[in-house]
Amino acid sequence: AARVTASRGTLLALLLAALAAVPVAAQSQHFRQPGGPDQVRAQFLAEVAKGVEESVTRFREAIEARDPARVAGLFQEGALYSPADGASHYGHAAIREAFGVRLPGRGPLLLTRVDFSASGSLAYQFGRYFYGPGPGGDGAESGTYVLVLYQEGRVWKVRSYVERRSPA
């Protein structure tokens, strides 16, 4: 009986050693990426930037259409909009109302990107904004903005949009 136990112990040790070696080999092959982690990160950022740019285009188009409901629909529920005057508007209803007041006097919106980054489902963009003159020839405004977006499914929705007017 002692001899059978020793054989089982040896067999068990060999089996455990073999099992321990298999996941290590599988993991090391699974996580190898061509080009290394820098290339993988660059590809991720390029893909996110494409999705964010599509959302920014929809945002600009909704503003140029002077459609506050359409603009607000591009925000997540509970999102923040802070126009150049520093006010804070949270949620679709408040954002729709704020854009309803702001859009009639504004012309087309130009957004330039100065900085961009993303991680997981969150993206950040910083840049300069410019509203052209409105229908009456006034209302031009420029400054800096911060845009934070959150990915919902395949669509990037605005989580926060903050504008700060540049000094004259």
Side-chain angles (χ1 to χ4, degrees), residues 7-25:
S7 295
R8 282 187 186 164
T10 304
L11 183 61
L12 182 60
L14 289 172
L15 182 60
L16 288 175
L19 288 175
V22 170
V24 172

Side-chain angles (χ1 to χ4, degrees), residues 75-98:
F75 284 75
Q76 281 189 301
E77 185 52 54
L80 164 72
Y81 166 54
S82 182
D85 64 8
S88 295
H89 306 279
Y90 294 94
H92 286 161
I95 291 169
R96 183 177 53 249
E97 184 178 329

Side-chain angles (χ1 to χ4, degrees), residues 23-32:
V24 172
Q27 285 180 345
S28 65
Q29 289 177 4
H30 176 72
F31 287 111
R32 285 188 192 152

Side-chain angles (χ1 to χ4, degrees), residues 61-122:
E61 289 171 349
I63 286 175
E64 290 174 13
R66 290 188 178 81
D67 187 341
R70 188 168 144 199
V71 174
L74 299 172
F75 284 75
Q76 281 189 301
E77 185 52 54
L80 164 72
Y81 166 54
S82 182
D85 64 8
S88 295
H89 306 279
Y90 294 94
H92 286 161
I95 291 169
R96 183 177 53 249
E97 184 178 329
F99 274 104
V101 170
R102 192 157 164 75
L103 289 180
R106 303 284 174 212
L109 173 64
L110 172 66
L111 295 173
T112 61
R113 183 172 70 190
V114 174
D115 188 30
F116 171 83
S117 190
S119 181
S121 299
L122 201 62

Side-chain angles (χ1 to χ4, degrees), residues 6 19 40 55 90 93 123 150 163:
L19 288 175
V40 171
S55 293
Y90 294 94
Y150 187 80
E163 298 173 330

